[in-house]
Amino acid sequence: MEVLLNHPCAVVLVCALLFRVAHRLLQNLPVPKVVRGEEFRAWKWKNLSVSLVHSLLTGAWALSCVLIYPETVHNLHSYFVPVSYLLVCVSTGYFVQDAADIILTGHARGSWEFLVHHTLVIWCFGYALFTKLYVSGTVVALFVEVNSVTLHLRLMLKLAEQMSSPAFQVNKMLNLFTYVFFRLSAQGYLTWYIVYNYSWLDHASFFLAAMVLMNGMILVYFYRLLRADFCPRPKRTGTQNGTHKPAPMTQKFLTD
């Protein structure tokens, strides 16, 4: 516990390294043939595999913290227990690893939205780790990882071109449910907590601004999700010399 609290940066780097090890190990699992045939699809599949591991781990971990320690959800400012602090270290390590993977593999331009998201998350999580404040708030924020499980599965099924499969249809409904009850609800509660207690919270203006920006992003994503899965539009293609030119794969993933 003393090492954990006094050296959060070192713990985060160790966690980032462990997620990188997981990245390497997951490459031994079978990959759909259609994914192997394209460089971006192959990279995205590996990236999403690690993200899925993180979401399964931290989503269940965050829910367990709240169930075992109910004070977590009531005192977002100063309450925390060692297991919740470790959770924040682990999750921060993942985001550091994922941001590094996006940048070092040359996909920063096509994945800039994810980098903006990761930068905000690392900044806020890092503040919680170094000040020992808002650790519980960070745990509640990780409720969104329950929804991230279905989001990652959705993208992996799209990569494998399984949009017409029963698995995709079931996941589509689960994704909608978890988006509302775990992502939108968690963000809404955090925003309400900051606004309601704004007068005495530390650095309330910074966290409120971060929440407003994050809320805007998840609402845009929610609109895209509804449009892509429940109100699909005819595929648009550009034309060049009379031939159809499909949109780049990176662009498709940002819009769909």
Side-chain angles (χ1 to χ4, degrees):
M1 184 59 188
E2 183 179 352
V3 173
L4 185 65
L5 291 175
N6 294 335
H7 304 283
C9 190
V11 177
V12 167
L13 291 177
V14 169
C15 293
L17 180 61
L18 290 175
F19 276 109
R20 196 61 192 171
V21 171
H23 181 279
R24 297 290 297 177
L25 293 175
L26 289 169
Q27 293 184 32
N28 297 321
L29 297 178
V31 178
K33 184 177 180 180
V34 68
V35 173
R36 296 195 303 269
E38 186 177 329
E39 186 274 335
F40 177 77
R41 286 178 184 263
W43 169 78
K44 192 65 180 178
W45 183 274
K46 290 183 287 187
N47 181 269
L48 286 170
S49 298
V50 181
S51 299
L52 182 59
V53 170
H54 167 258
S55 296
L56 287 167
L57 174 65
T58 58
W61 195 337
L63 290 176
S64 299
C65 285
V66 170
L67 291 174
I68 298 171
Y69 307 102
E71 182 66 15
T72 298
V73 80
H74 299 297
N75 184 358
L76 303 184
H77 175 257
S78 55
Y79 176 81
F80 73 91
V81 291
V83 69
S84 61
Y85 189 88
L86 180 59
L87 167 60
V88 180
C89 288
V90 170
S91 192
T92 306
Y94 159 75
F95 285 110
V96 169
Q97 183 277 147
D98 196 54
D101 182 56
I102 292 172
I103 295 170
L104 296 178
T105 55
H107 293 95
R109 184 176 180 181
S111 305
W112 67 268
E113 293 182 56
F114 299 108
L115 287 178
V116 171
H117 170 269
H118 287 10
T119 300
L120 279 173
V121 169
I122 293 169
W123 186 270
C124 294
F125 283 22
Y127 178 95
L129 292 176
F130 283 100
T131 65
K132 314 299 187 296
L133 298 175
Y134 300 108
V135 176
S136 289
T138 304
V139 171
V140 172
L142 285 170
F143 278 19
V144 303
E145 294 303 328
V146 177
N147 169 245
S148 292
V149 172
T150 55
L151 275 178
H152 297 327
L153 286 173
R154 173 184 179 272
L155 289 179
M156 294 178 82
L157 288 167
K158 284 171 67 70
L159 281 173
E161 298 184 355
Q162 296 295 312
M163 289 82 79
S164 300
S165 68
F168 186 88
Q169 300 306 315
V170 171
N171 186 75
K172 179 171 71 173
M173 302 308 299
L174 289 174
N175 192 31
L176 179 62
F177 174 81
T178 56
Y179 206 106
V180 172
F181 286 96
F182 289 99
R183 188 172 294 271
L184 292 178
S185 296
Q187 291 289 124
Y189 177 70
L190 290 170
T191 304
W192 170 84
Y193 186 91
I194 294 173
V195 171
Y196 187 78
N197 300 286
Y198 185 86
S199 61
W200 62 270
L201 288 175
D202 295 277
H203 300 97
S205 57
F206 166 75
F207 285 102
L208 183 59
M211 289 304 302
V212 169
L213 181 58
M214 196 74 74
N215 291 344
M217 293 175 67
I218 68 169
L219 288 174
V220 169
Y221 293 158
F222 190 51
Y223 166 74
R224 291 178 179 176
L225 179 68
L226 292 175
R227 186 185 66 183
D229 285 358
F230 298 95
C231 305
R233 295 179 179 180
K235 296 289 184 181
R236 291 184 179 182
T237 55
T239 58
Q240 186 174 4
N241 299 326
T243 61
H244 291 288
K245 183 180 180 181
M249 180 61 67
T250 52
Q251 180 180 340
K252 289 175 65 179
F253 266 87
L254 289 177
T255 56
D256 294 338

